[in-house]
Amino acid sequence: MGDDISLKFRQQLLLIEENLGTEDVAALKFLCIDLIPFKKLESVQSALDIFQFLMAEEYLSEEDTFLLAELLYRIKCHFLLKKLGYTKERVQEYLPEKGRVSSYRQMLYELAENVTSEMLKEIIFLLRNQLPKRQTTISALELLILLEKQGLLTENNVQVLEELCMSVSPDLLEAISSYKREKVSLPQQENTLPVKESVLPHTGDTRLFTSPQETSVKAVSSNINDHYGGEPGSLWEHVGNVRPIPIRPGDKAANVIQGVSEMNLELRAKFINAENESKNLTSYKMDGPQRGFCLVINNVKFDGDLQERKGSCKDAEELNQVFTWLGLDVTIHRDLTSEQIKDLMQAWQNLEDHKDRDCFICCILSHGESGAIYGTDGERVSIRTIMSYFTAQQCPALAEKPKLFFIQACQGMATTDGYASFRHVQQGTWYIQALCSKLQLLVPRGEDILSILTEVNDDVSRRADSLGTKKQMPQPAYTLRRKFIFPVPRDPPPSQQH
């Protein structure tokens, strides 16, 4: 980096780079395609290379770090924003004025995030005559880049992409349809962003775009750091300093947080109605000699200001009992630092025994923040990073097998982003209680996991604290393409065993 850059700024960028994984760097490269000459991007080996190119193009400086904040926001690394002096809400506020990632690039990235490994194989098969024969392994982002290079995909022509999505998974068409509607409704706003003329000399490369997620989340989460204190002596706790959802007369659970749809996971997808859609799916193979592994991380005591998570051991024990009953080999780890969590993920990623199992389940109980969970040392680990260890490329033994991640943490999978999840210090969290209860009730009835999660969602959304003032709304995300049905255990569920 140039000599005119201060040591403090270099250190900021280095700290950010150290928290970004390989998939994060690939995502940053993709989002910067319209900003940095592609030949330069092809040489990128690390996030620091990208930062250097952005500075060279005068998109990033010590005085103006918004573009980097936008990129981190786009790839759901919200926990890194504060290293630049931003919050997620502040980025959302400035996006209409200062955002530089075009709606076209956003749409492609969102689409790639929702393409599973199985979908990708089907797409590659359909495009076998267009792709280089030397291409043995390719990611969804790399595939989109190839289509752009060959002129099969442009900002004004997404027909090939639509046909591929229609063939592989029609659900993917929603992102394209939203982009086309936005493109038609905002033609006058092209080139309204402050971009360098030398980089974008012609019209149509940049467009003002505010997604529904951005506006709706901003509306309900602007006071995300407001502190909520429970009643003195209460057995209920909330996870993190976030705003509880008030209950008003006549509220329906489904409308409490209407419009909030952003999920901070690398498995970002729409939570569809399981009863209607799953009927059209085939089932995952679940008849192997061994069901699979269930990894539970239970963080209770933390260094620094994070409070002890009383009641979490109750959750861990219930998960142990229920998933053991379902035939999984359960392993529980307690009080892990951020580095220990990453090391553990690496160890489980390389476990050869996965090849003889039907599935893999990971449950994490901890404090959390938007898009990340805390280690006991107070350092964050992004949910995206955790899941990246178990992709088909990183963990071939689990390729084409269902992998479930249940994350009970503030703003994690247990609740919608920006809201608290509630935990009884003796009975555990609403979410884990509901999950374990519905698994015991509905697995013996032959229900698939998406139907069960629908019931969990309904159960938790109906619950309230003892004062009747706080609610929680879970919002699961998934990339399952088939029905995931646990075989019915021979033994009665743990709740019926004495």
Side-chain angles (χ1 to χ4, degrees), residues 424-463:
H424 191 285
V425 298
Q426 294 174 352
Q427 299 172 5
T429 54
W430 291 352
Y431 179 68
I432 298 299
Q433 290 174 57
L435 175 64
C436 292
S437 173
K438 294 301 182 183
L439 284 170
Q440 294 177 78
L441 176 66
L442 299 177
V443 166
R445 299 181 185 177
E447 296 281 1
D448 68 284
I449 194 66
L450 296 184
S451 297
I452 293 173
L453 290 178
T454 302
E455 292 291 325
V456 171
N457 185 73
D458 182 62
D459 188 324
V460 175
S461 67
R462 291 174 185 273
R463 298 194 188 198

Side-chain angles (χ1 to χ4, degrees), residues 51-329:
F51 302 159
Q52 181 66 58
F53 288 139
L54 289 175
M55 287 187 286
E57 298 290 339
E58 298 181 8
Y59 283 119
L60 175 63
S61 67
E62 190 168 4
E63 294 74 28
D64 184 4
T65 60
F66 184 78
L67 176 58
L68 180 53
E70 178 188 0
L71 293 171
L72 294 174
Y73 170 83
R74 299 287 183 201
I75 68 172
K76 302 296 182 288
C77 286
H78 300 149
F79 67 100
L80 293 175
L81 291 175
K82 79 174 188 177
K83 296 186 184 300
L84 296 173
Y86 282 95
T87 63
K88 187 179 70 172
E89 291 71 40
R90 190 177 170 207
V91 173
Q92 291 168 347
E93 180 183 352
Y94 290 156
L95 274 174
E97 175 189 352
K98 301 182 68 175
R100 296 193 177 185
V101 179
S102 69
S103 58
Y104 168 69
R105 192 62 50 190
Q106 291 176 51
M107 178 272 292
L108 294 183
Y109 179 68
E110 178 183 342
L111 201 66
E113 286 285 275
N114 289 323
V115 171
T116 65
S117 57
E118 188 173 336
M119 292 180 197
L120 185 58
K121 285 183 179 179
E122 294 177 14
I123 293 173
I124 291 173
F125 177 78
L126 293 172
L127 292 172
R128 61 192 180 279
N129 293 330
Q130 280 78 30
L131 299 180
K133 300 209 182 323
R134 66 181 183 278
Q135 204 81 37
T136 54
T137 59
I138 189 173
S139 69
L141 293 178
E142 291 169 336
L143 178 64
L144 292 173
I145 291 172
L146 279 174
L147 292 178
E148 287 188 288
K149 282 184 175 180
Q150 296 179 14
L152 297 174
L153 176 61
T154 68
E155 186 177 15
N156 297 313
N157 185 2
V158 294
Q159 182 178 349
V160 170
L161 199 57
E162 287 180 296
E163 292 173 355
L164 289 170
C165 291
M166 181 61 72
S167 298
V168 172
S169 179
D171 290 339
L172 296 174
L173 287 170
E174 178 56 32
I176 303 176
S177 299
S178 296
Y179 164 69
K180 292 173 70 176
R181 288 194 298 269
E182 190 73 27
K183 184 175 173 62
V184 170
S185 63
L186 295 175
Q188 75 280 8
Q189 292 181 325
E190 294 189 42
N191 274 337
T192 59
L193 302 183
V195 297
K196 282 185 61 184
E197 294 183 1
S198 60
V199 176
L200 302 174
H202 53 283
T203 61
D205 286 326
T206 304
R207 179 175 292 104
L208 179 65
F209 177 80
T210 303
S211 71
Q213 288 93 340
E214 288 158 6
T215 54
S216 62
V217 173
K218 176 185 174 184
V220 298
S221 302
S222 59
N223 295 321
I224 195 169
N225 291 317
D226 286 359
H227 179 71
Y228 172 79
E231 291 297 318
S234 170
L235 288 175
W236 289 100
E237 296 181 351
H238 69 283
V239 183
N241 296 330
V242 298
R243 194 175 188 177
I245 303 173
I247 300 175
R248 294 181 294 274
D251 268 352
K252 292 185 178 180
N255 294 324
V256 172
I257 53 159
Q258 183 177 9
V260 183
S261 61
E262 183 181 45
M263 285 300 296
N264 297 302
L265 308 173
E266 13 314 327
L267 301 182
R268 180 183 176 194
K270 291 186 177 180
F271 184 49
I272 60 174
N273 187 306
E275 291 182 350
N276 294 332
E277 296 295 331
S278 63
K279 294 177 182 177
N280 299 322
L281 305 177
T282 57
S283 298
Y284 283 103
K285 181 179 177 294
M286 293 290 288
D287 58 358
Q290 301 181 79
R291 188 72 58 241
F293 293 107
C294 174
L295 171 63
V296 179
I297 297 176
N298 180 27
N299 282 351
V300 180
K301 295 183 178 181
F302 296 78
D303 301 333
D305 298 331
L306 293 174
Q307 296 181 353
E308 179 178 348
R309 299 183 63 256
K310 297 176 182 178
S312 188
C313 289
K314 174 67 174 176
D315 284 345
E317 181 53 34
E318 288 216 23
L319 290 169
N320 181 24
Q321 292 179 6
V322 169
F323 283 115
T324 298
W325 169 67
L326 291 173
L328 287 94
D329 298 318

Side-chain angles (χ1 to χ4, degrees), residues 474-487:
Q475 188 166 340
Y478 73 99
T479 57
L480 300 176
R481 294 199 64 222
R482 306 174 190 170
K483 293 175 73 172
F484 182 2
I485 303 174
F486 283 106

Side-chain angles (χ1 to χ4, degrees), residues 373-426:
I373 57 98
Y374 281 104
T376 55
D377 55 350
E379 295 296 320
R380 304 171 189 82
V381 181
S382 74
I383 296 173
R384 180 190 184 94
T385 296
I386 290 169
M387 292 181 171
S388 70
Y389 286 95
F390 301 99
T391 63
Q393 288 184 338
Q394 298 298 322
C395 186
L398 284 174
E400 308 302 328
K401 297 179 181 181
K403 297 168 280 290
L404 300 181
F405 295 81
F406 297 102
I407 299 178
Q408 170 55 51
C410 167
Q411 301 179 57
M413 192 176 286
T415 183
T416 300
D417 185 36
Y419 284 88
S421 58
F422 296 97
R423 181 179 65 251
H424 191 285
V425 298
Q426 294 174 352

